[in-house]
Amino acid sequence: MRFTNSCQTEGFDGMVQYCTSCLYPDTKPDLSFDDNGVCSACAAYAAREDVDWDARRGEFLDIVAQYRSADGSNYDCIVPVSGGKDSTYQVIRLLEVGMNPLCVTATTDALSDIGRRNIENIKHLGVDYVEMTTNPVVRRQINHLALSQIGDISWPEHVAIFTIPIRIAVQHGIQLIVWGENPQNEYGGPASASGGNTLTRRWLEEFGGLLGLRVSDLPEVADIEKRHLIQYTYPEDTDLARVGVTGIFLGYYFPWDGWTNALIAQAHGFETAPQFVEGSLANYENLDNHQTGIHDYFKFLKFGFGRATDIANNHIRRGRLSRADAVQMVHAHDGKFPWTCLGKPLDEVLSDIGMTIDAFNRICDQFTNKRLFVVDNRGKPVRDANGNLTLADSGYGSES
Ligand SMILES: [Zn+2]
């Protein structure tokens, strides 16, 4: 069985083009550049100026009115919640407009203490809440397999955070699911007055972006029995259609900003970390899962940018950080070897999934895009005393 090897960038000529406005490189999947060298993520943000946000808010109010239970006999919607700043913000927004959501958590891989406290905080906003935990023994097997085969330890989490709320929607007969930001920005207002926009299994599977590994592959490639994969499986289209399950992204109706979401969430009891999360430029996100640092590190190995770049770019686009200052900050924090993950030593995080640091390092080398990093004369990526790689081209263009 072959999997998508995302570190091989088709047509890549060894030189990285960076956006002239933010710090995204052209190695980022699905990113394009205009004639001025501005990336499509910056262009999408700039297009927000043309949005009539008052009108969008009106659309949102129409939708929630449409789905609000007339007699209070069922929940008005499902909100998938991780306990993070965005899901806390989603619940706050829905409670503000009088919705009665059922909050659903797909238990994360290696939940941190602060992550648990933030989940408890969401409950205390005043909502009913369900947490579905998949078999942790099988989960670790899948974490190990996904890290080894596709360089993504978080693959089962990314599956389950979509499948579990949708399964619960079908089981409870709840039509509306309210997600946060739409990472693909292509699924604007499905639950519009036109109706008939129920989710399909095919859309959900494509939306997941699962790097060529499918849940249905697991019995064959990992000898994991189908009976252990129930929660990773989408309901059938007939069930989705029978209930009329649909979804909206709150980021379509409100101008999304993780930083202000965190401020609003904090005002409602959300707890941040005492310092930046390792490899990031923020203390207000990715606080719940000790494996996320590994996930983000592999993004850096494959594409040459990590979470610090994402955070810096969000601030640049909103005028809160100059590109030149962002370059300095990203140099200092992005893509550092994840010796600790939310304060937990790497060997402990790995031992939870039955992996040694030596085995981890071999997988790192396997998924490192060698054309992006300084290599020795045998083509092996050069690590410094702290285990860190050096980008071969980290000039971020002449503008910086
Ligand atoms: Zn950009």
Side-chain angles (χ1 to χ4, degrees):
M1 169 113 11
R2 287 178 61 80
F3 299 100
T4 305
N5 188 349
S6 302
C7 64
Q8 299 303 320
T9 310
E10 204 170 309
F12 185 63
D13 61 6
M15 289 297 291
V16 177
Q17 179 185 356
Y18 286 94
C19 173
T20 53
S21 180
C22 74
L23 302 183
Y24 271 148
D26 60 357
T27 49
K28 180 174 163 55
D30 303 322
L31 194 75
S32 59
F33 288 79
D34 69 13
D35 292 343
N36 297 317
V38 175
C39 78
S40 45
C42 284
Y45 180 78
R48 285 188 182 190
E49 277 186 29
D50 302 326
V51 172
D52 181 342
W53 291 106
D54 287 338
R56 289 273 176 95
R57 182 178 169 78
E59 283 180 51
F60 173 72
L61 292 174
D62 288 346
I63 289 167
V64 295
Q66 184 185 336
Y67 285 94
R68 192 177 286 123
S69 172
D71 60 1
S73 61
N74 199 358
Y75 299 100
D76 301 329
C77 62
I78 279 182
V79 185
V81 297
S82 64
K85 70 195 192 308
D86 290 333
S87 50
T88 305
Y89 169 83
Q90 285 159 247
V91 175
I92 292 165
R93 280 279 176 259
L94 287 160
L95 291 176
E96 275 175 356
V97 296
M99 290 290 271
N100 180 31
L102 176 61
C103 294
V104 176
T105 294
T107 304
T108 197
D109 290 296
L111 185 66
S112 66
D113 293 343
I114 190 171
R116 174 56 71 196
R117 291 197 292 274
N118 280 328
I119 287 173
E120 294 303 316
N121 183 63
I122 283 186
K123 296 179 194 174
H124 286 89
L125 295 175
V127 292
D128 284 355
Y129 172 89
V130 170
E131 179 166 348
M132 174 60 75
T133 307
T134 60
N135 178 334
V137 178
V138 173
R139 180 62 159 256
R140 287 172 197 145
Q141 268 182 276
I142 306 176
N143 287 134
H144 191 295
L145 172 90
L147 182 57
S148 315
Q149 299 286 347
I150 57 172
D152 185 2
I153 193 172
S154 300
W155 180 86
E157 175 157 306
H158 294 157
V159 174
I161 60 174
F162 280 101
T163 55
I164 286 173
I166 293 164
R167 293 180 64 85
I168 290 177
V170 168
Q171 287 155 10
H172 286 257
I174 301 167
Q175 292 183 301
L176 182 64
I177 300 175
V178 182
W179 281 298
E181 188 178 22
N182 178 357
Q184 296 186 356
N185 203 27
E186 66 181 13
Y187 196 63
S192 62
S194 61
N197 260 317
T198 56
L199 300 178
T200 65
R201 191 169 167 145
R202 184 173 170 207
W203 180 86
L204 291 162
E205 285 175 347
E206 286 181 5
F207 180 75
L210 297 174
L211 303 179
L213 180 61
R214 293 170 303 183
V215 173
S216 55
D217 294 333
L218 293 178
E220 184 194 343
V221 300
D223 200 22
I224 295 171
E225 293 176 66
K226 190 177 172 186
R227 68 192 174 108
H228 293 311
L229 298 171
I230 293 168
Q231 295 298 334
Y232 300 96
T233 308
Y234 285 115
E236 297 294 335
D237 277 346
T238 48
D239 291 325
L240 291 165
R242 175 176 50 78
V243 175
V245 178
T246 190
I248 58 171
F249 288 93
L250 217 49
Y252 178 79
Y253 304 98
F254 299 93
W256 201 259
D257 178 11
W259 187 69
T260 52
N261 288 359
L263 282 179
I264 293 166
Q266 277 179 273
H268 290 79
F270 173 76
E271 185 181 338
T272 58
Q275 66 281 313
F276 285 172
V277 171
E278 302 95 330
S280 179
L281 295 174
N283 67 342
Y284 52 78
E285 58 140 47
N286 287 346
L287 303 174
D288 62 334
N289 181 351
H290 289 289
Q291 295 180 359
T292 303
I294 294 173
H295 167 81
D296 289 346
Y297 184 60
F298 271 72
K299 181 167 84 169
F300 182 74
L301 298 180
K302 292 173 178 180
F303 307 116
F305 74 99
R307 195 64 190 157
T309 297
D310 293 322
I311 299 289
N313 289 348
N314 286 339
H315 288 308
I316 290 171
R317 290 183 199 121
R318 290 162 178 80
R320 296 195 289 254
L321 190 62
S322 74
R323 192 175 186 279
D325 282 341
V327 166
Q328 302 297 325
M329 295 166 76
V330 165
H331 267 310
H333 290 273
D334 216 14
K336 298 302 177 211
F337 189 83
W339 288 112
T340 61
C341 302
L342 295 174
K344 187 170 180 177
L346 177 65
D347 58 344
E348 291 180 23
V349 179
L350 292 173
S351 112
D352 284 345
I353 63 163
M355 185 177 285
T356 63
I357 286 196
D358 281 348
F360 176 76
N361 275 321
R362 285 194 294 276
I363 296 167
C364 288
D365 283 348
Q366 180 191 338
F367 284 95
T368 300
N369 186 337
K370 316 276 187 308
R371 290 171 292 189
L372 292 178
F373 294 97
V374 175
V375 294
D376 64 18
N377 54 16
R378 291 167 300 159
K380 189 173 166 52
V382 176
R383 294 180 181 279
D384 69 14
N386 295 316
N388 296 320
L389 300 172
T390 303
L391 284 166
D393 172 12
S394 58
Y396 296 102
S398 56
E399 300 297 314
S400 63

